[in-house]
């Protein structure tokens, strides 16, 4: 029994979508003619038209009467960059939005740990470099240097995951996250010794392939930062009043 037309056009649209999202087909590129695509996949031109309609609905291509179908998807980094600008605007209007950004950060970083467990080695050298810089800043009592290295540590972990989409998202939010780390670190609740120990323990769990332990520590660390953030925001609001 031959595959249904629905199955055929779904297969075609999925492959073409993967080519677009993977960068094989870039914005402005023209798809092959319907007959050429039909020959490539061994399907009817009707299935190809239905596949292209699916892609157009998703905003990935644009069909022009009498012309070839064009890829119109914006590069994902540009899209996320625009999203980052929107988040900044929201932060300016509503400081409470910071907490939502912290939630997004926790989701990305805990997911990152799961991905790291499948890689060999689990992290790139940049993670250890950032951790070492945190240690040096701790020993020198360099608060600003510690905060910069702290942000670099988290960024390097995400990049180690090998997931380009997560990396692009985190890159665009990196400055915001750095600002959050800077702000939350201003709340005098723990020493640089304690802060360094937290990160060293997370790194040790990842190195030892202790996924549950690393995720629990990461969640706890980000949740504490969120608590410190609330205190810092409350203090700032009190000053304004």
């Amino acid at each position: 029994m031959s595959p249904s037309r629905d199955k055929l056009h779904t297969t075609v649209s999925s492959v073409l979508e993967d080519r677009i999202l993977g960068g094989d087909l870039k914005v402005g590129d023209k798809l092959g003619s319907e007959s050429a695509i039909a020959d490539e996949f061994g399907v009817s031109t009707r299935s190809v038209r239905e596949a292209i309609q699916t892609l157009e609905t998703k905003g990935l291509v644009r069909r022009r009467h009498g012309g070839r179908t064009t890829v119109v998807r914006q590069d994902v980094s540009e899209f996320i960059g625009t999203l980052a600008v929107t988040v900044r605007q929201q932060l300016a209007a509503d400081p409470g939005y910071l907490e939502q950004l912290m939630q997004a950060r926790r989701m990305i970083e805990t997911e990152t740990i799961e991905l790291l467990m499948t890689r060999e080695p689990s992290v790139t050298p940049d993670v250890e470099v950032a951790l070492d810089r945190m240690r040096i800043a701790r020993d020198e009592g360099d608060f600003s240097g510690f905060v910069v290295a702290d942000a670099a540590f988290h960024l390097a972990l995400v990049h180690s995951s090998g997931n380009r989409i997560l990396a692009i998202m985190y890159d665009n939010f990196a400055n915001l996250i750095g600002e959050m780390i800077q702000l939350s670190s201003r709340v005098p609740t723990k020493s640089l010794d304690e802060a360094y120990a937290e990160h060293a323990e997370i790194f040790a769990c990842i190195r030892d392939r202790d996924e549950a332990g690393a995720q629990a520590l990461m969640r706890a660390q980000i949740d504490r930062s969120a608590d410190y953030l609330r205190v810092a925001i409350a203090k700032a609001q009190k000053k304004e009043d």
Side-chain angles (χ1 to χ4, degrees), residues 137-159:
R138 176 204 65 183
D139 294 344
E140 295 177 351
D142 178 5
F143 176 83
S144 295
F146 189 93
V147 169
V148 170
D150 184 342
F153 174 84
H154 292 276
L155 182 63
L157 281 179
V158 176
H159 275 263

Side-chain angles (χ1 to χ4, degrees), residues 3-10 12-13 16 33-52:
S4 67
R5 192 175 70 248
D6 181 64
K7 172 72 172 176
L8 291 173
H9 95 259
T10 298
V12 175
S13 64
L16 292 177
S33 65
E34 289 182 359
S35 58
I37 296 173
D39 287 343
E40 178 186 355
F41 289 92
V43 300
S44 68
T45 54
R46 180 175 180 177
S47 292
V48 173
R49 283 194 292 274
E50 291 173 347
I52 290 174

Side-chain angles (χ1 to χ4, degrees), residues 25-183:
L25 288 170
K26 298 179 173 54
V27 174
D29 284 353
K30 307 287 187 184
L31 297 186
S33 65
E34 289 182 359
S35 58
I37 296 173
D39 287 343
E40 178 186 355
F41 289 92
V43 300
S44 68
T45 54
R46 180 175 180 177
S47 292
V48 173
R49 283 194 292 274
E50 291 173 347
I52 290 174
Q53 184 176 359
T54 298
L55 296 175
E56 189 172 33
T57 300
K58 293 182 177 182
L60 297 175
V61 300
R62 180 181 295 125
R63 288 184 294 183
R64 294 188 182 280
H65 182 67
R68 298 259 291 278
T69 299
T70 305
V71 176
V72 296
R73 166 186 171 268
Q74 294 299 309
D75 185 79
V76 68
S77 63
E78 293 179 11
F79 170 75
I80 298 297
T82 300
L83 181 59
V85 171
T86 301
V87 170
R88 279 192 177 277
Q89 292 170 342
Q90 289 284 351
L91 293 179
D94 178 13
Y97 207 72
L98 282 167
E99 289 194 41
Q100 295 181 38
L101 183 58
M102 193 69 90
Q103 291 170 352
R105 177 191 169 194
R106 182 172 58 243
M107 292 170 65
I108 291 173
E109 295 196 39
T110 53
E111 175 67 17
T112 289
I113 290 171
E114 181 176 345
L115 294 174
L116 294 178
M117 295 298 110
T118 66
R119 299 182 67 81
E120 184 60 51
S122 55
V123 297
T124 64
D126 289 344
V127 176
E128 292 190 67
V129 168
L131 188 63
D132 195 48
R133 287 176 179 167
M134 291 176 71
R135 179 188 57 77
I136 293 170
R138 176 204 65 183
D139 294 344
E140 295 177 351
D142 178 5
F143 176 83
S144 295
F146 189 93
V147 169
V148 170
D150 184 342
F153 174 84
H154 292 276
L155 182 63
L157 281 179
V158 176
H159 275 263
S160 294
S161 73
N163 186 302
R164 291 183 298 165
I165 303 302
L166 282 181
I168 289 170
M169 291 175 66
Y170 207 90
D171 282 348
N172 279 280
F173 291 126
N175 288 336
L176 282 170
I177 291 170
E179 290 167 11
M180 287 193 297
I181 291 172
Q182 178 85 18
L183 181 59

